[in-house]
Amino acid sequence: MSSTTILGIEGTAWNLSAAIVNESDVVAEVTHTYRPPTGGIHPREAAQHHARYASQVIRDLLDEAKQHGVTTGDIDAIAFSQGPGLGPCLRTVATAARMLALSLNIPLVGVNHCIAHIEVGKWKTPSSDPVVLYVSGANSQVLAYRMGKYRVFGETLDIGIGNAFDKFARNAGLTHPGGPKIEEYAKNATEYIPLPYVVKGMDFSFSGLSTAATDALKRASIEDVCYSFQETAFAMLVEVTERALAHTGKNEVLLAGGVGANMRLREMLDIMCDDRGASFYVPEKRFMGDNGAMIAYLGLLMLESGTVTDIDRSHVNPNFRPDDVDVTWIDGTIDEKLEGGN
Ligand code: AMP
Ligand code: MG
């Protein structure tokens, strides 16, 4: 039995990851991560890393797939992250994807990275029509499907929550990535330090909070500051997610993105969902951070619903918004069912 099979490549930031998926599962996945020796991610250096390792990653991927009985002849399309992300990284990965599609003579599918996080989460959990909290290094958004698009209900007005953590961590002398270290320190806190809670309408802002947390290190322990930073930032995210649930009438929350690894954030979302009678879904960790499987899987959904990307329209878009994408793979009557059920 043949199933649609897609090779997808992710490389919007520090993770270069390629995977082959079919309708039922991930066949193979190979990842090579850029780790800055000091400081944060330098876009050009990350892109050079991706350029250096792209052919090795693809070769290893094809070897691994072969062991599972899948060869290049089985691949129906090449999917790649068209954005959002760091320009130099996106361009490197797009070049590799175009080359592969041309040499295998199969279609190219440019996918939106944020939507890939959502769809892989829906694939790998029982969630079907969630409000999504997508929290990563560069992105922080609350999204949900409505009338043909993933609508952004709330988002950061400046930097992503992960970058806010990483920036603070760097100032505190911790190495990149800072998020996991902050979570560890927070466990040993004794006191909550008030920090700026910034929610404007349905949007939030983390830049000032990160600066205020750095400043608080002058008068409080790193444990207390890490704890207070987390509590404040997560309360902001949970508040907006809860309001999106109320507004849309949906009854599921799906967590996506690398910051979703944080157990305290999960606990807070779980309590909120419990209070509202909503289900809370978290995919396995390998599907939460940036991964090639999510790009391949969204490519599969797009190809099967008739969406491909011509080479001359395959330019990258560092500011690619999820609400710019026409969702061709979801049955639009999902909205009517929701309204009927209310
Ligand atoms: P992504 O951009 O989706 O690959 O996610 C990377 C971001 O997740 C970085 O900013 C990390 O600091 C952050 N992160 C990873 N693990 C945790 C954690 N346990 N708590 C908070 N942030 C985390
Ligand atoms: Mg991401």
Side-chain angles (χ1 to χ4, degrees):
M1 195 192 79
S2 82
S3 152
T4 305
T5 303
I6 308 286
L7 188 157
I9 317 176
E10 156 60 26
T12 54
W14 64 327
N15 240 4
L16 174 67
S17 178
I20 294 176
V21 311
N22 59 29
E23 282 155 18
S24 50
D25 213 346
V26 181
V27 176
E29 185 170 47
V30 175
T31 298
H32 203 287
T33 305
Y34 163 69
R35 293 190 190 282
T38 55
I41 301 173
H42 190 296
R44 201 185 57 237
E45 284 169 14
Q48 280 165 356
H49 164 272
H50 296 355
R52 191 170 314 128
Y53 290 101
S55 58
Q56 184 189 319
V57 163
I58 300 293
R59 216 172 27 243
D60 291 350
L61 175 72
L62 293 172
D63 283 349
E64 199 184 311
K66 211 168 175 181
Q67 289 166 23
H68 295 94
V70 173
T71 63
T72 45
D74 299 315
I75 300 170
D76 296 299
I78 304 294
F80 71 104
S81 270
Q82 209 166 2
L86 303 171
C89 297
L90 291 170
R91 283 191 288 277
T92 303
V93 166
T95 305
R98 282 183 206 112
M99 219 172 62
L100 270 173
L102 286 171
S103 61
L104 295 174
N105 197 23
I106 52 178
L108 189 63
V109 187
V111 316
N112 180 283
H113 174 95
C114 313
I115 296 182
H117 273 289
I118 300 175
E119 292 298 346
V120 83
K122 284 164 59 182
W123 191 34
K124 292 294 172 187
T125 68
S127 168
S128 63
D129 184 24
V131 166
V132 183
L133 175 61
Y134 168 40
V135 276
S136 70
N139 302 291
S140 300
Q141 284 174 330
V142 175
L143 312 108
Y145 176 83
R146 187 95 177 101
M147 295 171 64
K149 295 213 169 168
Y150 277 105
R151 313 282 168 179
V152 178
F153 284 83
E155 64 190 319
T156 182
L157 297 168
D158 41 53
I159 57 176
I161 175 65
N163 284 352
F165 281 152
D166 296 338
K167 199 171 89 177
F168 162 80
R170 267 202 308 283
N171 290 332
L174 308 172
T175 52
H176 187 87
K181 287 148 204 149
I182 291 171
E183 180 172 19
E184 280 312 304
Y185 275 115
K187 287 179 186 159
N188 296 313
T190 54
E191 201 189 344
Y192 176 79
I193 319 277
L195 291 171
Y197 182 102
V198 189
V199 173
K200 298 181 181 173
M202 288 287 279
D203 294 326
F204 23 78
S205 143
F206 296 112
S207 185
L209 174 57
S210 184
T211 307
T214 302
D215 197 54
L217 285 171
K218 292 181 197 144
R219 51 181 198 281
S221 72
I222 188 162
E223 289 84 359
D224 286 352
V225 177
C226 288
Y227 168 73
S228 309
F229 191 172
Q230 279 196 171
E231 293 300 301
T232 309
F234 293 163
M236 290 159 54
L237 293 167
V238 174
E239 180 197 326
V240 174
T241 307
E242 179 169 20
R243 282 201 273 139
L245 267 181
H247 180 73
T248 57
K250 297 190 196 276
N251 57 12
E252 299 174 358
V253 170
L254 175 70
L255 182 59
V259 181
N262 190 291
M263 297 312 284
R264 177 60 181 147
L265 175 59
R266 292 182 188 194
E267 182 182 34
M268 288 168 76
L269 285 165
D270 203 29
I271 292 168
M272 181 274 282
C273 287
D274 233 33
D275 284 351
R276 299 193 62 89
S279 305
F280 176 48
Y281 296 110
V282 186
E284 233 181 287
K285 196 172 171 195
R286 64 179 281 219
F287 297 114
M288 297 208 76
D290 295 345
N291 62 90
M294 69 183 197
I295 304 303
Y297 182 65
L298 177 52
L300 184 148
L301 295 176
M302 290 173 71
L303 183 78
E304 287 190 336
S305 60
T307 305
V308 296
T309 307
D310 292 338
I311 294 275
D312 56 7
R313 296 183 59 92
S314 66
H315 52 271
V316 302
N317 179 356
N319 302 312
F320 194 5
R321 288 186 61 82
D323 42 10
D324 281 342
V325 176
D326 286 324
V327 176
T328 48
W329 58 93
I330 292 179
D331 171 9
T333 59
I334 200 167
D335 286 326
E336 289 155 33
K337 281 183 207 137
L338 189 73
E339 272 149 24
N342 265 348

